[in-house]
Amino acid sequence: MVVLVVATASDPASIGPAAAFLAMPGWSPGPPIPVLSPSYLIPSISNPLRCSSLSMAWNSDEGMESFINGHVRLLKHEHSIIAEDDLDLRWQAATGEDVSEVIFLSKHTAVSNRPALTVHPIGVPHLREDEKPPQGGRPGWAALPNPRIGPWLRLMQTIAVDQGLVPEFEITLEATHHGPITNKPTMFVEIGSTEEYWGRQDAAQAIALVLWKGLGFEEENTVGSWEGNGEKVLLGIGGGHYVPRHMDIIIKDGVWVGHLLSGYSLPMEVPSQGNGKSSSEVGGMWKHSIKVSYDATKAAFPGGEVIAHLDQKSFKGWQKNAVMSYLQELNIRIGKPNDFI
């Protein structure tokens, strides 16, 4: 099993950390990975965890560079980071190596323009089948969240402080959003939030150190490997894009996190009557979004107890009633902050 780190030369916040990571000892060239002209059998929205089926149509004139270091493979392509689907399956098809997880390096943009280092799970579980994802992925789909997300947030905080990036840079989670499609546990690690910061060498070096230490190159102990000992896993529901109330819990040592569904991933239609006490009274994709995100989180943390944490202040009364009613229908426990610590 190998860890696949993916970078794109088209993004300075992606290729910068990749170059700093490759400057560390032990790397050797890997095989070129053919560019794929894929023909997808798209899963139905009722089964979004099912892997894509690939028709292997190789383009022999092009290839993606790869690099090898122990159990880690770094793959570099030239396209948008969200444009290349199924890279985990494509790596396995080309090399015979099974991929255990995928880590993407990318830029982050924000209206605030504030410099930031971020980490987050991916997916667009709130989109209907007839909607086109604006930034990759498949409508109604949630990737398996990488168990490293919580531990690496805390590792990133420590490294950023040690490297003098804090308080200039904010260290934060983001809610679940965008693609590309993957089939193994996945996370994005990003530098934000403007061109001035995407190319910052000190930020790139900090991300490279997160990779180096987090993947066990420094002390041979990886950070964030899930052992499945019945530990609790937070499923965040509600709040803004930077999920501050969930973040307050996850920044504490020992907390595991799966998907983080902000308000925009929970589209709810105002009930014509009633107060939402029954989830059936409230239409919209919010129930599907919760269900597939819960299923993906549970699959990514075998043996764990997935517990929902609600940003209750972000909901109107009828919305909170509907969400809590639906969680009870699914037998998903609702936790308070102390339940995760």
Side-chain angles (χ1 to χ4, degrees):
M1 300 285 278
V2 299
V3 176
L4 187 62
V5 178
V6 181
T8 173
S10 68
D11 175 0
S14 180
I15 199 61
F21 192 33
L22 289 172
M24 294 172 174
W27 291 97
S28 60
I33 304 301
V35 173
L36 187 65
S37 300
S39 174
Y40 294 104
L41 296 179
I42 302 297
S44 69
I45 200 168
S46 62
N47 189 13
L49 285 177
R50 195 180 74 192
C51 294
S52 299
S53 177
L54 298 177
S55 172
M56 297 303 176
W58 304 110
N59 184 338
S60 59
D61 296 330
E62 298 181 55
M64 292 181 277
E65 281 188 281
S66 73
F67 304 88
I68 295 173
N69 195 343
H71 65 294
V72 177
R73 308 291 181 262
L74 192 148
L75 183 62
K76 184 178 76 172
H77 63 73
E78 306 289 330
H79 307 128
S80 166
I81 199 71
I82 60 172
E84 294 288 345
D85 289 335
D86 294 303
L87 286 173
D88 44 7
L89 296 185
R90 290 159 64 181
W91 180 272
Q92 182 177 0
T95 67
E97 294 181 328
D98 191 18
V99 173
S100 61
E101 62 186 279
V102 189
I103 300 166
F104 289 91
L105 307 177
S106 177
K107 66 184 177 184
H108 168 68
T109 58
V111 174
S112 69
N113 293 333
R114 181 174 180 181
L117 305 180
T118 82
V119 59
H120 69 85
I122 66 171
V124 283
H126 60 293
L127 295 184
R128 301 186 309 269
E129 281 188 323
D130 61 349
E131 293 182 281
K132 182 178 180 180
Q135 294 181 303
R138 182 172 58 239
W141 161 85
L144 298 177
N146 195 318
R148 297 188 195 274
I149 291 171
W152 278 29
L153 170 73
R154 299 185 290 271
L155 176 62
M156 185 184 292
Q157 173 75 27
T158 299
I159 289 173
V161 170
D162 290 345
Q163 298 294 308
L165 292 175
V166 175
E168 181 185 12
F169 280 75
E170 181 180 14
I171 314 303
T172 185
L173 291 165
E174 294 180 75
T176 297
H177 66 303
H178 68 61
I181 297 168
T182 58
N183 307 276
K184 299 298 178 72
T186 300
M187 63 192 290
F188 262 63
V189 181
E190 302 184 356
I191 299 174
S193 297
T194 64
E195 189 171 357
E196 175 186 355
Y197 301 105
W198 296 334
R200 280 270 293 262
Q201 185 57 40
D202 51 355
Q205 186 66 27
I207 297 299
L209 282 172
V210 171
L211 292 165
W212 186 257
K213 294 183 178 183
L215 293 174
F217 285 110
E218 184 168 280
E219 299 179 354
E220 298 186 357
N221 292 317
T222 65
V223 177
S225 294
W226 173 253
E227 302 296 337
N229 296 322
E231 294 174 86
K232 299 177 178 67
V233 181
L234 185 149
L235 171 67
I237 300 177
H241 182 70
Y242 298 99
V243 294
R245 289 187 175 85
H246 308 312
M247 173 87 177
D248 288 344
I249 300 170
I250 298 161
I251 199 65
K252 295 180 169 60
D253 286 342
V255 179
W256 299 93
V257 59
H259 276 291
L260 296 163
L261 299 177
S262 68
Y264 60 75
S265 291
L266 300 165
M268 307 176 82
E269 299 170 0
V270 179
S272 57
Q273 57 184 359
N275 57 11
K277 287 187 176 180
S278 169
S279 66
S280 62
E281 296 176 4
V282 180
M285 283 291 288
W286 64 278
K287 285 190 285 189
H288 177 85
S289 187
I290 290 174
K291 179 66 165 60
V292 298
S293 298
Y294 171 79
D295 289 344
T297 299
K298 194 169 181 62
F301 291 88
E305 182 187 5
V306 179
I307 302 175
H309 179 257
L310 273 60
D311 183 343
Q312 299 202 28
K313 292 184 178 180
S314 69
F315 293 111
K316 296 178 180 178
W318 62 271
Q319 294 173 319
K320 183 171 74 172
N321 289 340
V323 169
M324 295 180 71
S325 172
Y326 186 59
L327 292 172
Q328 290 169 359
E329 290 175 30
L330 297 179
N331 293 315
I332 298 175
R333 178 181 165 192
I334 301 172
K336 297 180 179 179
N338 288 339
D339 292 326
F340 299 96
I341 300 169

Coordinates of all heavy atoms in Angstrom, one line a residue, residues 30-97:
G30 N 10.1 8.0 -10.4 CA 9.1 6.9 -10.5 C 8.7 6.7 -12.0 O 9.2 7.5 -12.8
P31 N 7.8 5.8 -12.2 CA 7.4 5.6 -13.6 C 6.5 6.7 -14.1 O 5.7 7.3 -13.3 CB 6.6 4.3 -13.5 CG 6.0 4.3 -12.1 CD 7.1 4.9 -11.3
P32 N 6.5 7.1 -15.4 CA 5.6 8.0 -15.9 C 4.2 7.4 -16.0 O 4.1 6.2 -16.3 CB 6.1 8.3 -17.3 CG 6.9 7.1 -17.7 CD 7.5 6.6 -16.4
I33 N 3.2 8.1 -15.5 CA 1.8 7.6 -15.5 C 1.1 8.2 -16.7 O 1.0 9.4 -16.9 CB 1.1 8.0 -14.2 CG1 1.9 7.6 -13.0 CG2 -0.3 7.5 -14.2 CD1 2.1 6.1 -13.0
P34 N 0.6 7.3 -17.6 CA -0.1 7.8 -18.8 C -1.3 8.7 -18.5 O -2.0 8.4 -17.5 CB -0.5 6.5 -19.5 CG 0.4 5.4 -18.9 CD 0.6 5.8 -17.5
V35 N -1.4 9.7 -19.3 CA -2.7 10.5 -19.3 C -3.8 9.6 -19.8 O -3.7 8.9 -20.8 CB -2.5 11.7 -20.1 CG1 -3.8 12.5 -20.2 CG2 -1.4 12.6 -19.5
L36 N -4.9 9.6 -19.1 CA -6.0 8.8 -19.4 C -7.1 9.5 -20.1 O -7.4 10.6 -19.7 CB -6.6 8.2 -18.1 CG -7.6 7.1 -18.2 CD1 -7.1 5.8 -18.8 CD2 -8.1 6.8 -16.8
S37 N -7.6 8.9 -21.1 CA -8.9 9.5 -21.7 C -10.0 8.6 -21.2 O -10.3 7.5 -21.7 CB -8.8 9.3 -23.3 OG -7.7 10.1 -23.8
P38 N -10.6 9.0 -20.1 CA -11.5 8.1 -19.3 C -12.9 8.1 -19.9 O -13.4 9.1 -20.3 CB -11.5 8.7 -17.9 CG -11.3 10.1 -18.1 CD -10.4 10.3 -19.3
S39 N -13.5 6.9 -19.8 CA -14.9 6.8 -20.1 C -15.5 6.2 -18.8 O -15.2 5.1 -18.4 CB -15.1 5.8 -21.2 OG -16.5 5.5 -21.4
Y40 N -16.3 7.1 -18.1 CA -16.8 6.7 -16.8 C -18.2 6.1 -16.9 O -19.1 6.5 -17.6 CB -16.9 8.0 -15.9 CG -15.6 8.6 -15.6 CD1 -15.1 9.7 -16.3 CD2 -14.7 8.0 -14.7 CE1 -13.9 10.3 -16.0 CE2 -13.5 8.5 -14.4 CZ -13.1 9.7 -15.1 OH -11.9 10.2 -14.8
L41 N -18.4 5.1 -16.0 CA -19.7 4.6 -15.7 C -20.1 5.3 -14.5 O -19.7 4.9 -13.4 CB -19.7 3.1 -15.6 CG -19.3 2.3 -16.8 CD1 -19.3 0.8 -16.5 CD2 -20.3 2.6 -18.0
I42 N -20.9 6.3 -14.6 CA -21.2 7.2 -13.4 C -22.1 6.5 -12.5 O -23.2 6.1 -12.9 CB -21.8 8.5 -13.8 CG1 -20.8 9.3 -14.8 CG2 -22.1 9.4 -12.6 CD1 -19.5 9.6 -14.2
P43 N -21.8 6.3 -11.2 CA -22.7 5.7 -10.2 C -23.9 6.5 -10.1 O -23.9 7.8 -10.2 CB -21.9 5.6 -9.0 CG -20.4 5.8 -9.4 CD -20.5 6.6 -10.6
S44 N -25.0 5.9 -9.7 CA -26.2 6.7 -9.4 C -26.1 7.4 -8.1 O -25.3 7.0 -7.3 CB -27.4 5.7 -9.4 OG -27.3 4.9 -8.2
I45 N -26.9 8.4 -7.9 CA -26.8 9.2 -6.7 C -27.2 8.4 -5.5 O -26.8 8.7 -4.4 CB -27.7 10.5 -6.8 CG1 -27.2 11.5 -5.8 CG2 -29.1 10.1 -6.7 CD1 -27.9 12.9 -6.1
S46 N -27.9 7.3 -5.7 CA -28.2 6.4 -4.6 C -27.1 5.6 -4.1 O -27.1 5.0 -3.0 CB -29.4 5.5 -5.0 OG -29.0 4.7 -6.0
N47 N -26.0 5.5 -4.9 CA -24.8 4.7 -4.5 C -23.6 5.5 -4.8 O -22.7 5.0 -5.5 CB -24.8 3.4 -5.2 CG -23.8 2.4 -4.6 OD1 -23.2 2.6 -3.6 ND2 -23.5 1.3 -5.4
P48 N -23.4 6.6 -4.1 CA -22.2 7.5 -4.5 C -20.9 7.0 -4.0 O -19.9 7.5 -4.3 CB -22.6 8.8 -3.9 CG -23.5 8.5 -2.7 CD -24.2 7.3 -3.1
L49 N -20.9 5.9 -3.1 CA -19.6 5.4 -2.6 C -19.0 4.4 -3.6 O -17.8 4.0 -3.5 CB -19.8 4.7 -1.3 CG -20.0 5.6 -0.1 CD1 -20.2 4.8 1.1 CD2 -18.8 6.5 0.1
R50 N -19.8 4.0 -4.6 CA -19.3 3.0 -5.5 C -18.2 3.6 -6.4 O -18.2 4.7 -6.9 CB -20.4 2.5 -6.5 CG -20.0 1.2 -7.2 CD -21.2 0.8 -8.1 NE -21.4 1.6 -9.2 CZ -22.4 1.7 -10.0 NH1 -23.5 0.9 -9.7 NH2 -22.5 2.4 -11.1
C51 N -17.1 2.8 -6.6 CA -16.0 3.3 -7.4 C -16.4 3.5 -8.9 O -17.2 2.8 -9.4 CB -14.8 2.3 -7.4 SG -14.1 2.1 -5.7
S52 N -15.7 4.5 -9.5 CA -15.9 4.7 -10.9 C -15.3 3.5 -11.6 O -14.3 2.8 -11.2 CB -15.1 5.9 -11.4 OG -15.6 7.1 -10.7
S53 N -15.9 3.1 -12.8 CA -15.3 2.1 -13.6 C -14.6 2.8 -14.8 O -15.2 3.6 -15.5 CB -16.4 1.2 -14.1 OG -15.9 0.2 -15.0
L54 N -13.4 2.4 -15.0 CA -12.6 3.1 -16.0 C -12.4 2.3 -17.3 O -12.1 1.1 -17.2 CB -11.2 3.5 -15.5 CG -11.1 4.4 -14.3 CD1 -9.7 4.6 -13.8 CD2 -11.7 5.7 -14.6
S55 N -12.6 2.9 -18.4 CA -12.2 2.3 -19.7 C -10.8 2.8 -20.0 O -10.5 4.0 -20.1 CB -13.2 2.8 -20.8 OG -12.7 2.3 -22.0
M56 N -9.8 1.9 -20.0 CA -8.4 2.3 -20.0 C -8.0 2.6 -21.4 O -7.6 1.8 -22.2 CB -7.6 1.1 -19.5 CG -7.9 0.8 -18.0 SD -7.6 2.2 -17.0 CE -8.1 1.6 -15.4
A57 N -8.2 3.9 -21.7 CA -7.8 4.4 -23.1 C -6.6 5.3 -22.8 O -6.7 6.5 -22.4 CB -8.9 5.2 -23.7
W58 N -5.4 4.8 -23.0 CA -4.2 5.5 -22.7 C -3.8 6.4 -23.8 O -3.9 6.1 -25.0 CB -3.0 4.5 -22.4 CG -3.3 3.5 -21.4 CD1 -3.5 2.2 -21.5 CD2 -3.4 3.8 -20.0 NE1 -3.7 1.6 -20.3 CE2 -3.7 2.6 -19.3 CE3 -3.4 5.0 -19.2 CZ2 -3.9 2.4 -18.0 CZ3 -3.6 4.8 -17.8 CH2 -3.8 3.6 -17.2
N59 N -3.2 7.6 -23.5 CA -2.6 8.5 -24.4 C -1.1 8.3 -24.3 O -0.5 8.8 -23.3 CB -3.1 9.9 -24.2 CG -2.5 10.9 -25.2 OD1 -1.5 10.6 -25.8 ND2 -3.2 12.0 -25.3
S60 N -0.5 7.6 -25.2 CA 0.9 7.3 -25.0 C 1.8 8.5 -25.3 O 3.0 8.4 -25.0 CB 1.3 6.1 -25.9 OG 1.0 6.5 -27.3
D61 N 1.3 9.6 -25.8 CA 2.1 10.7 -26.1 C 2.4 11.6 -24.9 O 3.2 12.5 -24.9 CB 1.5 11.6 -27.2 CG 1.4 10.8 -28.5 OD1 2.3 9.9 -28.8 OD2 0.4 11.0 -29.3
E62 N 1.6 11.4 -23.8 CA 1.8 12.3 -22.7 C 1.9 11.4 -21.4 O 1.5 10.2 -21.4 CB 0.5 13.2 -22.5 CG 0.3 14.1 -23.7 CD -0.9 15.0 -23.4 OE1 -0.9 15.7 -22.3 OE2 -1.8 15.0 -24.2
G63 N 2.5 12.0 -20.4 CA 2.6 11.2 -19.1 C 2.7 12.2 -18.0 O 3.2 13.3 -18.2
M64 N 2.4 11.7 -16.8 CA 2.6 12.5 -15.6 C 3.8 12.0 -14.9 O 4.0 10.8 -14.7 CB 1.3 12.3 -14.7 CG 0.1 13.0 -15.3 SD -1.4 12.8 -14.2 CE -1.9 11.1 -14.7
E65 N 4.6 12.9 -14.4 CA 5.8 12.6 -13.7 C 5.5 12.0 -12.3 O 4.5 12.4 -11.7 CB 6.7 13.8 -13.5 CG 7.5 14.3 -14.6 CD 8.5 15.4 -14.2 OE1 8.0 16.5 -14.1 OE2 9.7 15.1 -14.0
S66 N 6.3 11.1 -11.8 CA 6.1 10.6 -10.5 C 7.5 10.4 -9.8 O 8.5 10.3 -10.5 CB 5.3 9.2 -10.5 OG 6.1 8.2 -11.0
F67 N 7.4 10.4 -8.5 CA 8.6 10.3 -7.7 C 8.3 9.3 -6.5 O 7.2 9.2 -6.0 CB 9.0 11.6 -7.1 CG 9.2 12.6 -8.2 CD1 8.2 13.4 -8.7 CD2 10.5 12.8 -8.8 CE1 8.3 14.3 -9.7 CE2 10.6 13.7 -9.8 CZ 9.6 14.5 -10.3
I68 N 9.3 8.6 -6.1 CA 9.2 7.5 -5.1 C 10.1 7.8 -3.9 O 11.2 8.1 -4.0 CB 9.5 6.1 -5.7 CG1 8.5 5.8 -6.8 CG2 9.5 5.1 -4.6 CD1 8.9 4.5 -7.6
N69 N 9.5 7.6 -2.7 CA 10.3 7.7 -1.4 C 9.6 6.8 -0.4 O 8.6 7.1 0.1 CB 10.3 9.1 -0.9 CG 11.4 9.3 0.1 OD1 11.9 8.4 0.7 ND2 11.8 10.6 0.4
G70 N 10.2 5.6 -0.2 CA 9.6 4.6 0.7 C 8.2 4.2 0.3 O 8.0 3.8 -0.8
H71 N 7.2 4.5 1.2 CA 5.8 4.1 0.9 C 5.0 5.3 0.3 O 3.8 5.2 0.1 CB 5.1 3.7 2.2 CG 5.0 4.9 3.2 ND1 6.1 5.4 3.8 CD2 3.9 5.5 3.7 CE1 5.7 6.4 4.6 NE2 4.4 6.5 4.6
V72 N 5.7 6.4 -0.1 CA 5.1 7.6 -0.6 C 5.4 7.7 -2.1 O 6.5 7.5 -2.6 CB 5.5 8.8 0.2 CG1 4.8 10.1 -0.4 CG2 5.1 8.7 1.6
R73 N 4.3 8.1 -2.9 CA 4.5 8.4 -4.3 C 3.9 9.8 -4.5 O 2.8 10.1 -4.1 CB 3.6 7.4 -5.1 CG 3.9 5.9 -4.8 CD 5.3 5.5 -5.3 NE 5.5 4.1 -5.0 CZ 6.2 3.7 -3.9 NH1 6.7 4.5 -3.0 NH2 6.5 2.4 -3.8
L74 N 4.7 10.6 -5.2 CA 4.3 12.0 -5.5 C 4.1 12.0 -7.0 O 4.9 11.7 -7.8 CB 5.3 13.0 -5.1 CG 4.9 14.5 -5.2 CD1 5.5 15.3 -4.1 CD2 5.1 15.1 -6.5
L75 N 2.9 12.4 -7.4 CA 2.5 12.5 -8.8 C 2.2 13.9 -9.2 O 1.5 14.7 -8.5 CB 1.2 11.7 -9.0 CG 0.6 11.6 -10.4 CD1 1.6 10.8 -11.3 CD2 -0.8 10.8 -10.3
K76 N 2.9 14.3 -10.3 CA 2.8 15.7 -10.7 C 2.2 15.8 -12.1 O 2.6 15.1 -13.0 CB 4.2 16.4 -10.7 CG 4.1 17.9 -11.1 CD 5.5 18.5 -11.1 CE 6.3 18.1 -12.3 NZ 7.6 18.8 -12.3
H77 N 1.1 16.6 -12.2 CA 0.5 16.8 -13.6 C 0.4 18.2 -13.9 O 0.9 19.1 -13.1 CB -0.9 16.1 -13.7 CG -1.9 16.6 -12.7 ND1 -2.6 17.8 -12.9 CD2 -2.5 16.0 -11.6 CE1 -3.5 18.0 -12.0 NE2 -3.5 16.9 -11.2
E78 N -0.2 18.6 -15.0 CA -0.1 19.9 -15.6 C -1.5 20.6 -15.5 O -1.6 21.8 -15.9 CB 0.4 19.9 -17.0 CG 1.7 19.2 -17.2 CD 2.9 20.0 -16.6 OE1 2.8 21.3 -16.5 OE2 3.9 19.4 -16.2
H79 N -2.5 19.9 -15.1 CA -3.9 20.5 -15.2 C -4.4 21.0 -13.8 O -3.6 21.0 -12.8 CB -4.8 19.3 -15.7 CG -4.3 18.7 -16.9 ND1 -4.2 17.3 -17.1 CD2 -3.9 19.3 -18.1 CE1 -3.7 17.1 -18.3 NE2 -3.5 18.2 -18.9
S80 N -5.6 21.5 -13.8 CA -6.2 21.9 -12.6 C -6.2 20.8 -11.6 O -6.4 19.6 -12.0 CB -7.6 22.4 -12.8 OG -8.3 22.6 -11.6
I81 N -6.0 21.1 -10.3 CA -5.9 20.0 -9.3 C -7.2 19.3 -9.2 O -7.3 18.1 -8.7 CB -5.5 20.7 -7.9 CG1 -5.0 19.6 -7.0 CG2 -6.6 21.5 -7.3 CD1 -3.6 19.0 -7.4
I82 N -8.3 19.9 -9.5 CA -9.7 19.3 -9.4 C -10.1 18.6 -10.7 O -11.2 18.0 -10.8 CB -10.7 20.3 -9.0 CG1 -10.9 21.4 -10.0 CG2 -10.5 20.8 -7.6 CD1 -12.0 22.4 -9.8
A83 N -9.2 18.6 -11.7 CA -9.7 18.1 -13.1 C -9.4 16.6 -13.3 O -10.0 16.0 -14.1 CB -9.0 18.9 -14.2
E84 N -8.4 16.1 -12.5 CA -8.0 14.7 -12.8 C -8.6 13.7 -11.8 O -8.2 13.6 -10.7 CB -6.4 14.6 -12.7 CG -5.7 15.4 -13.7 CD -5.8 14.7 -15.1 OE1 -6.2 13.5 -15.2 OE2 -5.5 15.4 -16.1
D85 N -9.7 13.0 -12.3 CA -10.4 12.1 -11.5 C -9.7 10.8 -11.4 O -9.0 10.4 -12.2 CB -11.8 11.9 -12.1 CG -12.7 13.1 -11.9 OD1 -12.5 13.9 -11.0 OD2 -13.7 13.2 -12.7
D86 N -10.0 10.0 -10.3 CA -9.7 8.6 -10.1 C -8.2 8.4 -10.2 O -7.7 7.4 -10.7 CB -10.4 7.8 -11.1 CG -11.9 7.7 -10.9 OD1 -12.3 7.3 -9.8 OD2 -12.6 8.1 -11.8
L87 N -7.4 9.3 -9.7 CA -5.9 9.1 -9.8 C -5.4 7.9 -9.0 O -4.4 7.3 -9.3 CB -5.2 10.4 -9.3 CG -5.2 11.6 -10.3 CD1 -4.6 12.8 -9.7 CD2 -4.5 11.2 -11.6
D88 N -6.2 7.6 -7.9 CA -5.8 6.4 -7.1 C -6.0 5.2 -7.9 O -5.1 4.3 -7.9 CB -6.6 6.4 -5.8 CG -8.1 6.7 -6.0 OD1 -8.6 6.8 -7.1 OD2 -8.8 6.8 -4.9
L89 N -7.1 5.0 -8.6 CA -7.3 3.9 -9.5 C -6.3 3.9 -10.7 O -5.8 2.8 -11.1 CB -8.7 3.8 -10.0 CG -9.8 3.7 -9.0 CD1 -11.2 3.5 -9.6 CD2 -9.6 2.5 -8.0
R90 N -6.1 5.0 -11.2 CA -5.2 5.1 -12.3 C -3.7 4.8 -12.0 O -3.0 4.1 -12.7 CB -5.3 6.5 -12.9 CG -6.6 6.8 -13.6 CD -7.0 8.2 -13.8 NE -6.0 8.9 -14.7 CZ -6.1 10.2 -14.9 NH1 -7.1 10.9 -14.4 NH2 -5.3 10.8 -15.7
W91 N -3.3 5.2 -10.8 CA -2.0 4.8 -10.3 C -1.9 3.2 -10.2 O -0.9 2.6 -10.6 CB -1.6 5.4 -9.0 CG -0.3 5.0 -8.5 CD1 0.0 3.9 -7.7 CD2 0.9 5.7 -8.8 NE1 1.4 3.9 -7.5 CE2 2.0 4.9 -8.1 CE3 1.3 6.8 -9.5 CZ2 3.3 5.3 -8.2 CZ3 2.6 7.2 -9.5 CH2 3.6 6.4 -8.9
Q92 N -2.9 2.7 -9.6 CA -2.9 1.2 -9.4 C -2.9 0.5 -10.7 O -2.2 -0.5 -10.9 CB -4.1 0.8 -8.6 CG -4.2 -0.7 -8.3 CD -5.3 -1.1 -7.4 OE1 -6.1 -0.3 -7.0 NE2 -5.4 -2.4 -7.2
A93 N -3.7 1.0 -11.7 CA -3.8 0.3 -13.0 C -2.4 0.4 -13.7 O -2.0 -0.5 -14.4 CB -4.8 1.0 -13.8
A94 N -1.7 1.5 -13.5 CA -0.4 1.7 -14.2 C 0.7 1.0 -13.6 O 1.7 0.6 -14.2 CB -0.1 3.2 -14.4
T95 N 0.7 0.8 -12.2 CA 1.9 0.3 -11.5 C 1.6 -1.0 -10.8 O 2.6 -1.6 -10.4 CB 2.3 1.4 -10.5 OG1 1.3 1.5 -9.4 CG2 2.6 2.7 -11.1
G96 N 0.4 -1.3 -10.6 CA 0.1 -2.5 -9.8 C 0.1 -2.2 -8.3 O -0.2 -3.2 -7.5
E97 N 0.4 -1.0 -7.9 CA 0.4 -0.7 -6.4 C -0.9 -0.2 -6.0 O -1.5 0.7 -6.6 CB 1.5 0.4 -6.2 CG 2.9 0.0 -6.4 CD 3.9 1.1 -6.1 OE1 3.6 2.3 -6.3 OE2 5.1 0.7 -5.7

